[in-house]
Short mmCIF file of all heavy atoms in Angstrom, two decimals:
data_model
loop_
_atom_site.label_atom_id
_atom_site.label_comp_id
_atom_site.label_asym_id
_atom_site.label_seq_id
_atom_site.Cartn_x
_atom_site.Cartn_y
_atom_site.Cartn_z
N THR W 1 -98.02 25.41 24.12
CA THR W 1 -97.29 26.17 23.10
C THR W 1 -96.31 27.16 23.74
O THR W 1 -95.16 27.31 23.31
CB THR W 1 -98.28 26.93 22.20
OG1 THR W 1 -99.19 26.00 21.61
CG2 THR W 1 -97.53 27.68 21.11
N LEU W 2 -96.76 27.85 24.78
CA LEU W 2 -95.90 28.80 25.48
C LEU W 2 -94.69 28.11 26.11
O LEU W 2 -93.57 28.64 26.09
CB LEU W 2 -96.70 29.56 26.56
CG LEU W 2 -97.66 30.64 26.08
CD1 LEU W 2 -98.47 31.18 27.24
CD2 LEU W 2 -96.90 31.77 25.40
N ASN W 3 -94.89 26.96 26.72
CA ASN W 3 -93.77 26.22 27.33
C ASN W 3 -92.73 25.85 26.27
O ASN W 3 -91.53 25.93 26.51
CB ASN W 3 -94.29 24.95 28.01
CG ASN W 3 -94.99 25.28 29.33
OD1 ASN W 3 -94.65 26.27 29.98
ND2 ASN W 3 -95.95 24.45 29.73
N GLU W 4 -93.24 25.45 25.08
CA GLU W 4 -92.31 25.12 23.99
C GLU W 4 -91.52 26.35 23.59
O GLU W 4 -90.30 26.29 23.36
CB GLU W 4 -93.09 24.56 22.80
CG GLU W 4 -93.70 23.18 23.07
CD GLU W 4 -94.54 22.69 21.90
OE1 GLU W 4 -94.73 23.50 20.95
OE2 GLU W 4 -94.99 21.54 21.94
N ARG W 5 -92.25 27.48 23.47
CA ARG W 5 -91.56 28.72 23.11
C ARG W 5 -90.52 29.11 24.16
O ARG W 5 -89.42 29.56 23.85
CB ARG W 5 -92.57 29.84 22.92
CG ARG W 5 -93.45 29.67 21.69
CD ARG W 5 -94.56 30.70 21.67
NE ARG W 5 -94.03 32.06 21.63
CZ ARG W 5 -94.78 33.16 21.78
NH1 ARG W 5 -96.09 33.04 22.00
NH2 ARG W 5 -94.24 34.36 21.73
N LEU W 6 -90.90 28.96 25.46
CA LEU W 6 -89.95 29.29 26.55
C LEU W 6 -88.73 28.39 26.51
O LEU W 6 -87.60 28.84 26.75
CB LEU W 6 -90.66 29.17 27.91
CG LEU W 6 -91.69 30.26 28.23
CD1 LEU W 6 -92.43 29.93 29.53
CD2 LEU W 6 -91.02 31.63 28.36
N ASN W 7 -88.95 27.10 26.23
CA ASN W 7 -87.81 26.17 26.14
C ASN W 7 -86.89 26.58 25.01
O ASN W 7 -85.66 26.55 25.14
CB ASN W 7 -88.31 24.74 25.93
CG ASN W 7 -88.96 24.18 27.19
OD1 ASN W 7 -88.60 24.58 28.30
ND2 ASN W 7 -89.90 23.25 27.03
N ASN W 8 -87.52 26.96 23.87
CA ASN W 8 -86.70 27.40 22.73
C ASN W 8 -85.91 28.65 23.08
O ASN W 8 -84.73 28.79 22.73
CB ASN W 8 -87.60 27.65 21.51
CG ASN W 8 -88.21 26.37 20.97
OD1 ASN W 8 -87.63 25.29 21.14
ND2 ASN W 8 -89.37 26.48 20.32
N LEU W 9 -86.61 29.60 23.78
CA LEU W 9 -85.91 30.82 24.19
C LEU W 9 -84.77 30.52 25.16
O LEU W 9 -83.70 31.12 25.10
CB LEU W 9 -86.90 31.80 24.83
CG LEU W 9 -87.88 32.49 23.88
CD1 LEU W 9 -88.90 33.29 24.67
CD2 LEU W 9 -87.12 33.41 22.91
N ASN W 10 -84.98 29.60 26.10
CA ASN W 10 -83.96 29.24 27.07
C ASN W 10 -82.75 28.63 26.38
O ASN W 10 -81.59 28.95 26.68
CB ASN W 10 -84.54 28.26 28.08
CG ASN W 10 -83.57 27.97 29.21
OD1 ASN W 10 -82.91 28.86 29.72
ND2 ASN W 10 -83.49 26.71 29.61
N GLN W 11 -83.03 27.72 25.39
CA GLN W 11 -81.92 27.13 24.66
C GLN W 11 -81.17 28.19 23.86
O GLN W 11 -79.94 28.17 23.77
CB GLN W 11 -82.47 26.03 23.73
CG GLN W 11 -82.99 24.81 24.48
CD GLN W 11 -83.59 23.77 23.53
OE1 GLN W 11 -83.65 24.00 22.32
NE2 GLN W 11 -84.04 22.65 24.09
N SER W 12 -81.94 29.13 23.31
CA SER W 12 -81.30 30.22 22.57
C SER W 12 -80.44 31.08 23.48
O SER W 12 -79.34 31.51 23.10
CB SER W 12 -82.39 31.08 21.91
OG SER W 12 -81.81 32.18 21.24
N ASN W 13 -80.89 31.30 24.73
CA ASN W 13 -80.12 32.09 25.71
C ASN W 13 -78.82 31.37 26.07
O ASN W 13 -77.77 32.00 26.19
CB ASN W 13 -80.97 32.33 26.95
CG ASN W 13 -80.28 33.26 27.94
OD1 ASN W 13 -79.77 34.30 27.56
ND2 ASN W 13 -80.27 32.87 29.20
N ILE W 14 -78.88 30.05 26.25
CA ILE W 14 -77.67 29.27 26.56
C ILE W 14 -76.66 29.38 25.43
O ILE W 14 -75.46 29.58 25.65
CB ILE W 14 -78.03 27.80 26.82
CG1 ILE W 14 -78.86 27.68 28.11
CG2 ILE W 14 -76.79 26.94 26.93
CD1 ILE W 14 -79.42 26.30 28.36
N SER W 15 -77.17 29.27 24.19
CA SER W 15 -76.28 29.39 23.04
C SER W 15 -75.65 30.77 22.98
O SER W 15 -74.46 30.93 22.70
CB SER W 15 -77.07 29.12 21.75
OG SER W 15 -77.64 27.82 21.77
N THR W 16 -76.49 31.78 23.27
CA THR W 16 -75.97 33.16 23.26
C THR W 16 -74.88 33.34 24.31
O THR W 16 -73.85 33.98 24.05
CB THR W 16 -77.12 34.15 23.52
OG1 THR W 16 -78.13 33.98 22.55
CG2 THR W 16 -76.61 35.59 23.46
N ASN W 17 -75.08 32.77 25.51
CA ASN W 17 -74.07 32.88 26.58
C ASN W 17 -72.77 32.21 26.16
O ASN W 17 -71.67 32.72 26.45
CB ASN W 17 -74.59 32.25 27.87
CG ASN W 17 -75.68 33.09 28.51
OD1 ASN W 17 -75.76 34.31 28.28
ND2 ASN W 17 -76.53 32.47 29.31
N LYS W 18 -72.88 31.08 25.48
CA LYS W 18 -71.67 30.39 25.02
C LYS W 18 -70.92 31.24 24.01
O LYS W 18 -69.70 31.35 24.05
CB LYS W 18 -72.04 29.04 24.41
CG LYS W 18 -72.49 28.00 25.42
CD LYS W 18 -72.77 26.67 24.74
CE LYS W 18 -73.19 25.61 25.77
NZ LYS W 18 -73.51 24.31 25.14
N ILE W 19 -71.68 31.86 23.12
CA ILE W 19 -71.04 32.73 22.12
C ILE W 19 -70.34 33.91 22.80
O ILE W 19 -69.22 34.29 22.46
CB ILE W 19 -72.09 33.21 21.10
CG1 ILE W 19 -72.62 32.04 20.28
CG2 ILE W 19 -71.50 34.28 20.18
CD1 ILE W 19 -73.78 32.40 19.38
N VAL W 20 -71.05 34.50 23.80
CA VAL W 20 -70.47 35.63 24.53
C VAL W 20 -69.18 35.20 25.25
O VAL W 20 -68.18 35.92 25.24
CB VAL W 20 -71.50 36.19 25.54
CG1 VAL W 20 -70.82 37.22 26.46
CG2 VAL W 20 -72.65 36.85 24.81
N GLU W 21 -69.21 34.02 25.88
CA GLU W 21 -68.01 33.52 26.58
C GLU W 21 -66.86 33.32 25.60
O GLU W 21 -65.70 33.65 25.90
CB GLU W 21 -68.34 32.21 27.29
CG GLU W 21 -69.26 32.39 28.50
CD GLU W 21 -69.61 31.05 29.13
OE1 GLU W 21 -69.16 30.02 28.60
OE2 GLU W 21 -70.35 31.06 30.15
N GLN W 22 -67.17 32.76 24.44
CA GLN W 22 -66.12 32.57 23.44
C GLN W 22 -65.52 33.89 22.99
O GLN W 22 -64.30 34.05 22.87
CB GLN W 22 -66.70 31.80 22.25
CG GLN W 22 -67.07 30.35 22.56
CD GLN W 22 -67.79 29.67 21.41
OE1 GLN W 22 -68.05 30.30 20.37
NE2 GLN W 22 -68.11 28.39 21.59
N LEU W 23 -66.42 34.87 22.75
CA LEU W 23 -65.93 36.19 22.34
C LEU W 23 -65.10 36.86 23.44
O LEU W 23 -64.10 37.52 23.16
CB LEU W 23 -67.12 37.08 21.96
CG LEU W 23 -67.89 36.67 20.69
CD1 LEU W 23 -69.11 37.56 20.51
CD2 LEU W 23 -66.99 36.78 19.47
N GLU W 24 -65.54 36.72 24.70
CA GLU W 24 -64.78 37.30 25.82
C GLU W 24 -63.40 36.66 25.93
O GLU W 24 -62.40 37.34 26.19
CB GLU W 24 -65.57 37.10 27.12
CG GLU W 24 -64.89 37.64 28.37
CD GLU W 24 -64.74 39.15 28.35
OE1 GLU W 24 -65.46 39.82 27.58
OE2 GLU W 24 -63.89 39.65 29.11
N SER W 25 -63.35 35.34 25.73
CA SER W 25 -62.06 34.64 25.77
C SER W 25 -61.14 35.15 24.67
O SER W 25 -59.94 35.38 24.90
CB SER W 25 -62.28 33.14 25.64
OG SER W 25 -61.05 32.46 25.60
N LYS W 26 -61.71 35.37 23.47
CA LYS W 26 -60.91 35.89 22.37
C LYS W 26 -60.44 37.31 22.68
O LYS W 26 -59.32 37.69 22.35
CB LYS W 26 -61.73 35.87 21.09
CG LYS W 26 -61.96 34.47 20.53
CD LYS W 26 -62.75 34.53 19.23
CE LYS W 26 -62.98 33.12 18.67
NZ LYS W 26 -63.74 33.14 17.40
N ARG W 27 -61.32 38.12 23.32
CA ARG W 27 -60.94 39.48 23.67
C ARG W 27 -59.75 39.50 24.63
O ARG W 27 -58.81 40.27 24.47
CB ARG W 27 -62.13 40.21 24.30
CG ARG W 27 -61.88 41.70 24.55
CD ARG W 27 -62.99 42.31 25.37
NE ARG W 27 -62.96 41.83 26.72
CZ ARG W 27 -62.14 42.31 27.67
NH1 ARG W 27 -61.29 43.29 27.38
NH2 ARG W 27 -62.16 41.82 28.89
N LYS W 28 -59.83 38.63 25.67
CA LYS W 28 -58.71 38.56 26.64
C LYS W 28 -57.42 38.13 25.96
O LYS W 28 -56.34 38.63 26.27
CB LYS W 28 -59.07 37.60 27.76
CG LYS W 28 -60.19 38.09 28.68
CD LYS W 28 -60.48 37.08 29.77
CE LYS W 28 -61.58 37.61 30.70
NZ LYS W 28 -61.91 36.63 31.76
N GLN W 29 -57.54 37.19 25.05
CA GLN W 29 -56.36 36.73 24.34
C GLN W 29 -55.75 37.85 23.52
O GLN W 29 -54.52 38.04 23.48
CB GLN W 29 -56.74 35.54 23.43
CG GLN W 29 -55.56 34.94 22.67
CD GLN W 29 -54.57 34.29 23.62
OE1 GLN W 29 -54.95 33.71 24.63
NE2 GLN W 29 -53.29 34.42 23.32
#
């Protein structure tokens, strides 16, 4: 169960990083 939760958290972190990158790109623009 913990491994599943960690995988979900990791996927959520990747999504968050993508959102942050998109926002940073918009900020630079």
Side-chain angles (χ1 to χ4, degrees):
T1 302
L2 285 174
N3 285 332
E4 291 177 354
R5 290 172 61 188
L6 289 173
N7 288 332
N8 292 333
L9 288 173
N10 186 42
Q11 291 177 357
S12 176
N13 186 48
I14 293 172
S15 300
T16 303
N17 288 336
K18 289 183 178 178
I19 294 172
V20 171
E21 290 177 359
Q22 292 173 357
L23 292 174
E24 179 65 19
S25 177
K26 289 182 180 180
R27 187 189 70 81
K28 291 180 179 179
Q29 182 65 36

